Amino acid sequence: MDLLIEIASPINDIVDQLGANDLPYAIPLHPNLVHFTIGLFAIGIAFDFAGAFYPLEKRVFRFLALPVTRTGFHDVGWYNVLACAVITFFTVAAGFYEMLLAVPLPGIRSVIGQNAIDTMLWHAIGGVALLLIIVAMTIWRGYQRFVWRKDLGRQVTWLYLGCGALILVIMGVHGSLGAWLASEFGVHITADQLLAAGADLQEVLP
Amino acid sequence: MLELLPPLNDKNLPWLDVIHPIVVHFVIAMALITVVFDFLGVLTKRRNLFEVSFWNLVVATVAIFVAIIFGQIEAGLANPYGASRDILNYHSTLGWSLAGVLGLLTGWRYVVRQKDPTSLPSGFLVIDAVLAVLVFCQVYLGDKLVWVYGLHTVPVVEAVRSGALS
């Protein structure tokens, strides 16, 4: 917090309203919204894979006496990716708000040797890029569902599935940068910020 | 025997980062989106949304057991201090309870779906609401462990190892 006061910034105007974690509330919003972005996209792509390989699986499901349809799997793929696209706008918005208030611990490098500001900027650029990619994938998925492949059993092309798998790998790397912002750089973690300020956690944290 | 285990890093973990919060993406997102799609399915009368919510519920139920396995390992290595000990206990208890709730809900849903995939008993929506509330409480407890108490973060692990925190 002392670091913030030394720098001329509009954030100084609200500095007295922020908690020990540098936020006006106790729990950061962005990491909670991230659950939806990652979960919905990953499972959406996974179920489109299930729909694409349906001819191979249908014997297994018949053996299990579990009624499944190819359309059902593709419905999960479409609606999950659609929900992901909607929620990710909020994920990125919350991320930028919380990035503006971030005070990383000084003098630390992540496991790949990046300092805090580089990690944060890459995570921010990656976040905007992923939002655009997710929206583009959703539009692509919608065209496949309602126009290009509406009469075909396999609702998605192999190229769409390949792109989806590649994006999941990128999301994994991107998510790791975000995780390090918390676990290494202590961004918005009350205990880490208090320790850096020299407080005794046993006294100040209930 | 203990020396056969991998050494713990500066986050007190045998692996690079905490795995439990990664697996938990699939429990939180899939459980809550199940509830959303169930309600949307009833409100908009789009019956295929019940199929979407059913499969998301199945994924949430499978994922919660994986989340519990990693959660228990990482809880055991967490060195909780102060009130975070109680929070971790509540989080573990609620986590196992949620596995039961999700298991029962999936079982019920499976039976209903075998009879008619396009219908949903109205009582199911009540249990859906209960599930959503439980998930919110569980997320809040987990968030407190990470974002307030900083368990498995480098500065807190350092403080515990140096004896400044117990």
Side-chain angles (χ1 to χ4, degrees):
Chain A
M1 197 53 57
D2 294 338
L3 271 176
L4 264 185
I5 294 161
E6 289 165 19
I7 307 165
S9 156
I11 295 169
N12 293 346
D13 297 341
I14 56 163
V15 90
D16 55 334
Q17 295 161 33
L18 304 179
N21 65 347
D22 310 311
L23 287 175
Y25 38 83
I27 310 278
L29 295 174
H30 171 73
N32 285 301
L33 289 166
V34 157
H35 291 305
F36 294 95
T37 295
I38 297 176
L40 288 166
F41 191 80
I43 298 304
I45 297 295
F47 271 86
D48 271 338
F49 267 102
F53 287 110
Y54 181 73
L56 296 176
E57 303 142 11
K58 61 181 178 189
R59 288 159 203 275
V60 179
F61 285 110
R62 197 177 300 154
F63 174 74
L64 294 170
L66 183 64
V68 292
T69 59
R70 197 172 203 178
T71 322
F73 284 156
H74 283 312
D75 277 351
V76 184
W78 160 242
Y79 282 107
N80 274 13
V81 167
L82 182 65
C84 173
V86 174
I87 288 167
T88 304
F89 282 95
F90 296 93
T91 310
V92 172
F96 269 85
Y97 175 70
E98 289 172 356
M99 184 177 72
L100 288 174
L101 293 173
V103 184
L105 306 178
I108 294 170
R109 285 189 178 269
S110 69
V111 284
I112 56 168
Q114 267 185 336
N115 62 24
I117 194 72
D118 284 346
T119 308
M120 204 147 62
L121 290 177
W122 277 110
H123 189 66
I125 294 166
V128 176
L130 277 168
L131 171 64
L132 294 176
I133 290 170
I134 288 167
V135 170
M137 286 289 281
T138 309
I139 295 170
W140 186 9
R141 182 70 182 79
Y143 265 97
Q144 292 180 86
R145 180 181 171 92
F146 294 109
V147 186
W148 296 326
R149 303 181 67 86
K150 66 174 178 181
D151 299 323
L152 297 173
R154 175 161 55 83
Q155 230 178 63
V156 289
T157 59
W158 296 111
L159 183 63
Y160 173 85
L161 291 174
C163 288
L166 180 68
I167 293 162
L168 283 173
V169 175
I170 297 169
M171 264 189 189
V173 176
H174 179 78
S176 293
L177 295 183
W180 297 332
L181 283 174
S183 62
E184 313 261 348
F185 299 110
V187 170
H188 297 317
I189 296 186
T190 309
D192 292 3
Q193 296 291 333
L194 286 170
L195 281 172
D200 182 355
L201 283 195
Q202 236 115 24
E203 284 174 17
V204 285
L205 263 192
Chain B
M1 190 65 188
L2 279 176
E3 64 274 6
L4 293 172
L5 293 169
L8 299 178
N9 63 12
D10 55 358
K11 293 170 198 159
N12 218 41
L13 291 168
W15 33 72
L16 183 62
D17 284 305
V18 271
I19 294 176
H20 172 74
I22 300 174
V23 184
V24 144
H25 292 322
F26 301 100
V27 186
I28 299 170
M30 275 54 247
L32 292 179
I33 210 71
T34 291
V35 178
V36 171
F37 282 137
D38 272 349
F39 276 89
L40 280 179
V42 171
L43 290 174
T44 64
K45 297 194 168 62
R46 280 174 181 266
R47 301 304 185 202
N48 60 340
L49 286 179
F50 294 153
E51 191 71 2
V52 180
S53 55
F54 169 74
W55 286 110
N56 276 315
L57 186 63
V58 171
V59 173
T61 308
V62 173
I64 198 168
F65 288 97
V66 183
I68 285 175
I69 291 168
F70 283 104
Q72 292 283 216
I73 296 169
E74 291 174 349
L77 295 168
N79 295 323
Y81 57 94
S84 68
R85 288 194 198 96
D86 294 334
I87 298 173
L88 189 55
N89 282 338
Y90 292 132
H91 187 67
S92 306
T93 311
L94 190 48
W96 281 102
S97 311
L98 262 171
V101 171
L102 277 171
L104 281 170
L105 208 55
T106 309
W108 183 12
R109 189 63 182 264
Y110 169 80
V111 175
V112 170
R113 185 177 171 274
Q114 294 292 90
K115 288 181 189 156
D116 179 10
T118 60
S119 80
L120 194 70
S122 51
F124 202 88
L125 291 179
V126 177
I127 310 291
D128 262 353
V130 174
L131 173 71
V133 171
L134 288 178
V135 171
F136 271 110
C137 294
Q138 180 69 340
V139 169
Y140 177 70
L141 294 174
D143 273 346
K144 278 203 123 179
L145 293 174
V146 176
W147 299 102
V148 176
Y149 289 91
L151 299 186
H152 285 302
T153 63
V154 178
V156 167
V157 171
E158 260 175 24
V160 171
R161 284 184 184 169
S162 69
L165 203 56
S166 60

